[in-house]
Amino acid sequence: MDPKLGRMTLKEWVAIESDSVQPVPRFRQELFRMMAVAADTLQRLGARVTSVDMGSQQLPDGQSLPIPPVILAELGNDPTKGTVCFYGHLDVQPADQGDGWLTDPYVLTEVDGKLYGRGATDNKGPVLAWINAVSAFRALEQDLPVNIKFIIEGMEEAGSVALEELVEKEKNRFFSGVDYIVISDNLWISQRKPAITYGTRGNSYFTVEVKCRDQDFHSGTFGGILHEPMADLVALLGSLVDSSGHILVPGIYDEVAPLTEEEINTYKAIHLDLEEYRNSSRVEKFLFDTKEEILMHLWRYPSLSIHGIEGAFDEPGAKTVIPGQVTGKFSIRLVPHMNVSVVEKQVTRHLEDVFSKRNSSNKMVVSMTLGLHPWIANVNDTQYLAAKRAIRTVFGTEPDMIRDGSTIPIAKMFQEIVHKSVVLIPLGAVDDGEHSQNEKINRWNYIEGTKLFAAFFLEMAQLH
Amino acid sequence: MDPKLGRMTLKEWVAIESDSVQPVPRFRQELFRMMAVAADTLQRLGARVTSVDMGSQQLPDGQSLPIPPVILAELGNDPTKGTVCFYGHLDVQPADQGDGWLTDPYVLTEVDGKLYGRGATDNKGPVLAWINAVSAFRALEQDLPVNIKFIIEGMEEAGSVALEELVEKEKNRFFSGVDYIVISDNLWISQRKPAITYGTRGNSYFTVEVKCRDQDFHSGTFGGILHEPMADLVALLGSLVDSSGHILVPGIYDEVAPLTEEEINTYKAIHLDLEEYRNSSRVEKFLFDTKEEILMHLWRYPSLSIHGIEGAFDEPGAKTVIPGQVTGKFSIRLVPHMNVSVVEKQVTRHLEDVFSKRNSSNKMVVSMTLGLHPWIANVNDTQYLAAKRAIRTVFGTEPDMIRDGSTIPIAKMFQEIVHKSVVLIPLGAVDDGEHSQNEKINRWNYIEGTKLFAAFFLEMAQLH
């Protein structure tokens, strides 16, 4: 395979402004074009391609926009081989050169071995690396070591609209022969050392509304005689987490998986330059001083963040208002083996308890508006061992075994619906800047990533 | 005097859309027209009228708008008589019939003895009542019992732009012969019982900013390892006031005037139907159960209200953001004899103390962005006694001696600059809805208010 060819395709794909976040017809047209181009690429590779019509999407403003098709593709169906399904997405975050891009975000531009462009690392580059790996076997006229399936969507950045319904529907059809699912939609934790991701945190998002009346009050006319909703809300939010980051909701740590010696060793093995991490994050001081504690509190312990308040005075200036009704928002990142509905009960009970002690005449309503389960895989699954061996072959090193502190709902979704082993094999370096200005993928990562996927196919073949 | 004539003039004045809040040329033209019409009315009354050019106003968007002139007018300068200066304003709050007005806000409409229209009670009606009282003496060809001065502005609802500079400049000119200052720009505390206002609370407005870095964080990527600014801020705001409304800043109550038996009796004498007050406020329960406690906590004790947070997530929906920098806003309503700069120090020290105990690596900055002193008059001043007697004559009752929980900066300003006794003699009933939809003044209040001012002139004459 000529790696230059792969880079040419990446340039073409990056040039398509497949922004799924801004719901305007122009970008939707680009998304449809993107999916058609990808379907064509897969067809030329010899795959059997279905572009599934996803219907349309009703926006809050009443507008209706078509959803780009999801590509389901199959390459080989030799029953003696394993079948690996690759998930990827070809939509991108918005990008505007005026926002601080040094180059046109939709013109792939190489500077010092870095390929700058929107979608270069998230997720067009990794999708193409997988395709390149397949086409390498084709170019060498070799049989594919495994059967390959693709599920490629165009709405990931907009919340994977309607994807779950499709996966549910295809569970016993497209996914029936699938043995393993590979996702390559996150980043390494390092600039140079590859990684395998085996878990993500979940998230339960809460709102707590405190209401005196619909209308606001004037603080001159009513200040001093009211149970002010903001005072209640600030007390409620202040009861959730202490200054060391410890969550104060009773029972919340009960189901957190116990820490094993083996697990501690995985954190020790990871290279993380704390000083550099702190500097690049522009944070003066973290809550913890050691690499192990930092990683554990990002990955294997829950965290609680207060996001803000709706209904209070949030603008510049000095308004003397007593808000009549306010809604606080916070969320808890969940880890194995915390249970979303148990957490919902614990948080609700805790807030009701704190509120009742205030003897406030206001009304409080607690709601969990989002509940996403944490996901964790068995790192001793055969495909994890295969991925490790492939990394050793291509990079000559052990991978960092990492988790992601964020939630990657598709990983959990595939695991729950398809019931197969899911692995995240990122290709991009920690500084790739997905979602940011000047997103890039290193030339090296893109080429070595392609090799890694090819090596992974060969390793997977050994399993059968 | 024909009261119908007065009502005709009120109709003409209400018809002028003298909105000073919306900074658009059309309303400014209306304001200039309003001031010209008023100057003409005063001239026809025989007053010597000066319309002071107030220059122009630079808006935040760079636009420049002319400020309507302030009218200074004098009627009589008999050195054997006392001189009473009346302050009023002829600008109004915005009004739009679509916002819930039952009648056109700029067409004075009488329904069941209520005169509906924007500015009817705030403040065009009371200004005209004063003018009507003066013209009654003219119509009866009687000498005015006192010398009268007027200071009428057109920017009160926009913060009395440039008024203080003018009063300072005129201190030894226009104001040199003034003995008493009367303002009639607030409301009774009752539907039928007149009142005299002898004090207002001040206000010190604070911001407390907590900063980790300029940019926000993603709660998945950083949740668990940061001193989150929102957790710090919620703890800071939560340390300010307890659930009974008691302010927790050490020393804050030290300078609050001690409560005397005489003062308690003034609260007892006030008629306030708590049940009706609670219902009309649409509040389920106040912090206090007795009339006296309610009034004291609105008027003679400080109160602290938390207004909101700038920089956090304040929109609908579920954003998983860790705000990088947030600014909390709260204010304390000050009462005699609290001192603005002492309060500033107490609050700052308290917040620094709470913050330092958190061992947070964030930066905290406390600022007092506004400091308005409380105002209190001596209710035994001669003009207070004269006003009481006039009320007895016209209404056959003792007035409610009331304060205002809000700040009326002009009262304090006149007292501080001109050093003369200031009294607030409201004419409107508690339900007049100043600043609201369906603002009105009762026909009865308007006419009896006119009589009250005439009786007040006669009482004032007794003082000399």
Side-chain angles (χ1 to χ4, degrees), chain A residues 214-289:
Chain A
D214 290 324
Q215 274 178 300
D216 291 342
F217 299 87
H218 186 281
S219 73
T221 322
F222 282 94
I225 62 168
L226 292 181
H227 296 275
E228 300 192 8
M230 271 298 276
D232 283 340
L233 182 59
V234 158
L236 290 164
L237 297 176
S239 76
L240 293 170
V241 61
D242 72 14
S243 61
S244 70
H246 190 81
I247 304 174
L248 301 172
V249 176
I252 200 91
Y253 290 98
D254 288 356
E255 303 301 320
V256 173
L259 184 62
T260 64
E261 198 64 38
E262 187 194 352
E263 192 189 325
I264 294 185
N265 288 333
T266 65
Y267 304 126
K268 287 191 179 151
I270 292 171
H271 174 76
L272 177 71
D273 184 332
L274 264 194
E275 193 62 17
E276 187 197 303
Y277 178 50
R278 217 178 42 71
N279 286 336
S280 68
S281 309
R282 292 181 300 109
V283 171
E284 187 164 311
K285 202 172 174 325
F286 290 121
L287 284 169
F288 306 98
D289 294 326

Side-chain angles (χ1 to χ4, degrees), chain A residues 218-220 223 228 230-231 234 309 312-323, chain B residues 202-210 232-242 245-250 252 302-310 326-334 338 340 342-355 364-372:
Chain A
H218 186 281
S219 73
E228 300 192 8
M230 271 298 276
V234 158
I309 295 172
F313 176 54
D314 51 47
E315 284 163 56
K319 188 174 178 185
T320 52
V321 65
I322 299 174
Chain B
N203 197 16
S204 46
Y205 202 102
F206 288 89
T207 61
V208 49
E209 177 191 295
V210 180
D232 283 341
L233 182 58
V234 158
L236 290 163
L237 296 176
S239 76
L240 293 169
V241 61
D242 72 13
H246 190 80
I247 304 175
L248 301 171
V249 176
I252 201 88
S303 65
L304 189 149
S305 297
I306 303 167
H307 308 299
I309 295 172
E310 195 180 333
V326 286
T327 304
K329 300 185 179 182
F330 63 94
S331 66
I332 301 177
R333 293 278 165 184
L334 306 180
M338 293 169 82
V340 167
V342 170
V343 167
E344 181 178 17
K345 283 195 200 83
Q346 289 169 332
V347 169
T348 306
R349 196 180 314 128
H350 170 69
L351 290 176
E352 281 170 356
D353 193 37
V354 172
F355 189 66
M364 182 192 73
V365 179
V366 180
S367 309
M368 191 178 77
T369 59
L370 189 76
L372 300 169

Side-chain angles (χ1 to χ4, degrees), chain A residues 201 203 205 207 212-215 217-228 230-239 241-245 277 280-288 293-295 297-298 301-323 329 331 333 357-359 361 363 369-370 404-407 437, chain B residues 201 203 205 207 212-215 217-228 230-239 241-245 277 280-288 293-295 297-298 301-323 329 331 333 357-359 361 363 369-370 404-407 437:
Chain A
R201 290 196 287 192
N203 198 16
Y205 202 102
T207 62
C212 179
R213 67 173 194 188
D214 290 324
Q215 274 178 300
F217 299 87
H218 186 281
S219 73
T221 322
F222 282 94
I225 62 168
L226 292 181
H227 296 275
E228 300 192 8
M230 271 298 276
D232 283 340
L233 182 59
V234 158
L236 290 164
L237 297 176
S239 76
V241 61
D242 72 14
S243 61
S244 70
Y277 178 50
S280 68
S281 309
R282 292 181 300 109
V283 171
E284 187 164 311
K285 202 172 174 325
F286 290 121
L287 284 169
F288 306 98
E293 280 175 303
I294 295 274
L295 294 178
H297 283 90
L298 285 175
Y301 289 120
S303 66
L304 189 149
S305 297
I306 302 167
H307 308 299
I309 295 172
E310 196 182 332
F313 176 54
D314 51 47
E315 284 163 56
K319 188 174 178 185
T320 52
V321 65
I322 299 174
K329 299 184 180 184
S331 66
R333 293 279 166 184
K357 289 195 181 118
R358 291 183 62 80
N359 285 318
S361 58
K363 295 272 164 291
T369 59
L370 190 75
D404 198 312
S406 309
T407 310
Q437 297 87 338
Chain B
R201 290 196 289 192
N203 197 16
Y205 202 102
T207 61
C212 178
R213 67 173 193 188
D214 290 324
Q215 275 178 298
F217 299 87
H218 186 280
S219 73
T221 322
F222 282 93
I225 63 169
L226 292 181
H227 295 274
E228 300 192 7
M230 270 299 276
D232 283 341
L233 182 58
V234 158
L236 290 163
L237 296 176
S239 76
V241 61
D242 72 13
S243 60
S244 70
Y277 179 50
S280 69
S281 309
R282 292 184 297 112
V283 171
E284 185 164 312
K285 200 173 176 323
F286 291 121
L287 284 170
F288 306 98
E293 281 176 304
I294 295 272
L295 294 177
H297 283 89
L298 285 175
Y301 287 120
S303 65
L304 189 149
S305 297
I306 303 167
H307 308 299
I309 295 172
E310 195 180 333
F313 176 54
D314 50 47
E315 284 162 56
K319 188 175 176 183
T320 52
V321 64
I322 299 173
K329 300 185 179 182
S331 66
R333 293 278 165 184
K357 288 195 181 119
R358 291 183 62 81
N359 285 316
S361 58
K363 295 275 165 287
T369 59
L370 189 76
D404 198 311
S406 309
T407 309
Q437 296 87 335

Side-chain angles (χ1 to χ4, degrees), chain A residues 103-372:
Chain A
T103 57
D104 185 332
Y106 292 111
V107 176
L108 192 75
T109 309
E110 180 166 351
V111 181
D112 292 338
K114 297 178 179 93
L115 306 169
Y116 290 95
R118 176 55 91 217
T121 199
D122 180 18
N123 183 225
K124 292 176 178 178
V127 171
L128 275 172
W130 189 272
I131 291 174
N132 294 341
V134 172
S135 59
F137 285 92
R138 285 275 184 268
L140 297 168
E141 294 181 4
Q142 284 188 10
D143 246 15
L144 271 172
V146 285
N147 302 316
I148 305 272
K149 291 194 175 189
F150 291 88
I151 174 165
I152 313 279
E153 68 159 323
M155 289 296 280
E156 197 270 347
E157 304 294 0
S160 295
V161 182
L163 185 68
E164 187 168 345
E165 291 82 340
L166 177 69
V167 173
E168 191 68 63
K169 221 174 67 185
E170 293 289 339
K171 184 166 66 171
N172 299 316
R173 299 193 302 204
F174 178 78
F175 289 105
S176 66
V178 169
D179 300 303
Y180 309 99
I181 294 166
V182 176
I183 301 170
S184 180
D185 192 23
N186 60 327
L187 298 176
W188 299 346
I189 196 175
S190 144
Q191 302 247 16
R192 298 287 293 183
K193 197 171 169 212
I196 297 175
T197 303
Y198 65 97
T200 65
R201 290 196 287 192
N203 198 16
S204 46
Y205 202 102
F206 288 89
T207 62
V208 49
E209 177 191 293
V210 180
K211 178 173 179 175
C212 179
R213 67 173 194 188
D214 290 324
Q215 274 178 300
D216 291 342
F217 299 87
H218 186 281
S219 73
T221 322
F222 282 94
I225 62 168
L226 292 181
H227 296 275
E228 300 192 8
M230 271 298 276
D232 283 340
L233 182 59
V234 158
L236 290 164
L237 297 176
S239 76
L240 293 170
V241 61
D242 72 14
S243 61
S244 70
H246 190 81
I247 304 174
L248 301 172
V249 176
I252 200 91
Y253 290 98
D254 288 356
E255 303 301 320
V256 173
L259 184 62
T260 64
E261 198 64 38
E262 187 194 352
E263 192 189 325
I264 294 185
N265 288 333
T266 65
Y267 304 126
K268 287 191 179 151
I270 292 171
H271 174 76
L272 177 71
D273 184 332
L274 264 194
E275 193 62 17
E276 187 197 303
Y277 178 50
R278 217 178 42 71
N279 286 336
S280 68
S281 309
R282 292 181 300 109
V283 171
E284 187 164 311
K285 202 172 174 325
F286 290 121
L287 284 169
F288 306 98
D289 294 326
T290 68
K291 174 186 72 180
E292 289 78 7
E293 280 175 303
I294 295 274
L295 294 178
M296 288 194 292
H297 283 90
L298 285 175
W299 296 345
R300 63 111 52 232
Y301 289 120
S303 66
L304 189 149
S305 297
I306 302 167
H307 308 299
I309 295 172
E310 196 182 332
F313 176 54
D314 51 47
E315 284 163 56
K319 188 174 178 185
T320 52
V321 65
I322 299 174
Q325 175 177 11
V326 286
T327 304
K329 299 184 180 184
F330 63 94
S331 66
I332 301 177
R333 293 279 166 184
L334 307 179
V335 296
H337 306 288
M338 292 169 82
N339 177 291
V340 167
S341 54
V342 171
V343 167
E344 181 177 17
K345 282 196 200 81
Q346 289 169 333
V347 169
T348 306
R349 196 180 315 129
H350 170 69
L351 289 176
E352 283 170 353
D353 192 38
V354 172
F355 189 65
S356 75
K357 289 195 181 118
R358 291 183 62 80
N359 285 318
S360 169
S361 58
N362 296 322
K363 295 272 164 291
M364 181 190 74
V365 179
V366 181
S367 310
M368 190 177 78
T369 59
L370 190 75
L372 299 169

Side-chain angles (χ1 to χ4, degrees), chain B residues 94-390:
Chain B
D96 186 59
Q97 195 163 355
D99 286 346
W101 281 79
L102 299 174
T103 57
D104 185 334
Y106 292 111
V107 176
L108 191 74
T109 309
E110 181 167 351
V111 180
D112 292 337
K114 299 181 179 91
L115 306 169
Y116 290 95
R118 176 54 92 217
T121 198
D122 180 18
N123 185 220
K124 291 176 178 177
V127 171
L128 274 173
W130 188 273
I131 291 175
N132 293 341
V134 172
S135 58
F137 285 92
R138 284 276 184 268
L140 298 168
E141 291 180 10
Q142 284 188 12
D143 246 14
L144 270 173
V146 284
N147 302 315
I148 304 273
K149 292 196 175 189
F150 291 88
I151 174 166
I152 312 279
E153 69 160 323
M155 290 296 280
E156 197 269 349
E157 303 293 359
S160 294
V161 182
L163 185 70
E164 185 167 348
E165 292 81 342
L166 177 69
V167 173
E168 191 68 64
K169 221 174 67 188
E170 293 290 339
K171 182 166 68 173
N172 299 314
R173 299 195 301 207
F174 178 78
F175 289 104
S176 66
V178 168
D179 299 304
Y180 309 98
I181 294 167
V182 176
I183 301 170
S184 180
D185 192 22
N186 59 327
L187 299 176
W188 298 347
I189 197 176
S190 140
Q191 301 246 17
R192 297 286 293 184
K193 195 169 171 215
I196 297 176
T197 303
Y198 64 96
T200 64
R201 290 196 289 192
N203 197 16
S204 46
Y205 202 102
F206 288 89
T207 61
V208 49
E209 177 191 295
V210 180
K211 179 175 178 175
C212 178
R213 67 173 193 188
D214 290 324
Q215 275 178 298
D216 292 341
F217 299 87
H218 186 280
S219 73
T221 322
F222 282 93
I225 63 169
L226 292 181
H227 295 274
E228 300 192 7
M230 270 299 276
D232 283 341
L233 182 58
V234 158
L236 290 163
L237 296 176
S239 76
L240 293 169
V241 61
D242 72 13
S243 60
S244 70
H246 190 80
I247 304 175
L248 301 171
V249 176
I252 201 88
Y253 290 97
D254 288 356
E255 302 302 321
V256 173
L259 184 62
T260 64
E261 199 63 37
E262 186 194 352
E263 192 188 326
I264 293 184
N265 289 333
T266 64
Y267 305 125
K268 285 189 179 153
I270 292 170
H271 174 75
L272 178 72
D273 183 333
L274 264 194
E275 193 61 16
E276 186 195 305
Y277 179 50
R278 215 177 44 70
N279 285 337
S280 69
S281 309
R282 292 184 297 112
V283 171
E284 185 164 312
K285 200 173 176 323
F286 291 121
L287 284 170
F288 306 98
D289 294 325
T290 68
K291 173 185 73 178
E292 289 78 7
E293 281 176 304
I294 295 272
L295 294 177
M296 289 195 290
H297 283 89
L298 285 175
W299 296 346
R300 65 110 52 231
Y301 287 120
S303 65
L304 189 149
S305 297
I306 303 167
H307 308 299
I309 295 172
E310 195 180 333
F313 176 54
D314 50 47
E315 284 162 56
K319 188 175 176 183
T320 52
V321 64
I322 299 173
Q325 176 178 7
V326 286
T327 304
K329 300 185 179 182
F330 63 94
S331 66
I332 301 177
R333 293 278 165 184
L334 306 180
V335 296
H337 307 289
M338 293 169 82
N339 177 290
V340 167
S341 55
V342 170
V343 167
E344 181 178 17
K345 283 195 200 83
Q346 289 169 332
V347 169
T348 306
R349 196 180 314 128
H350 170 69
L351 290 176
E352 281 170 356
D353 193 37
V354 172
F355 189 66
S356 75
K357 288 195 181 119
R358 291 183 62 81
N359 285 316
S360 170
S361 58
N362 297 322
K363 295 275 165 287
M364 182 192 73
V365 179
V366 180
S367 309
M368 191 178 77
T369 59
L370 189 76
L372 300 169
H373 298 276
W375 164 70
I376 190 150
N378 180 355
V379 293
N380 296 315
D381 269 1
T382 45
Q383 77 160 344
Y384 277 85
L385 303 178
K388 275 189 191 182
R389 279 197 301 272

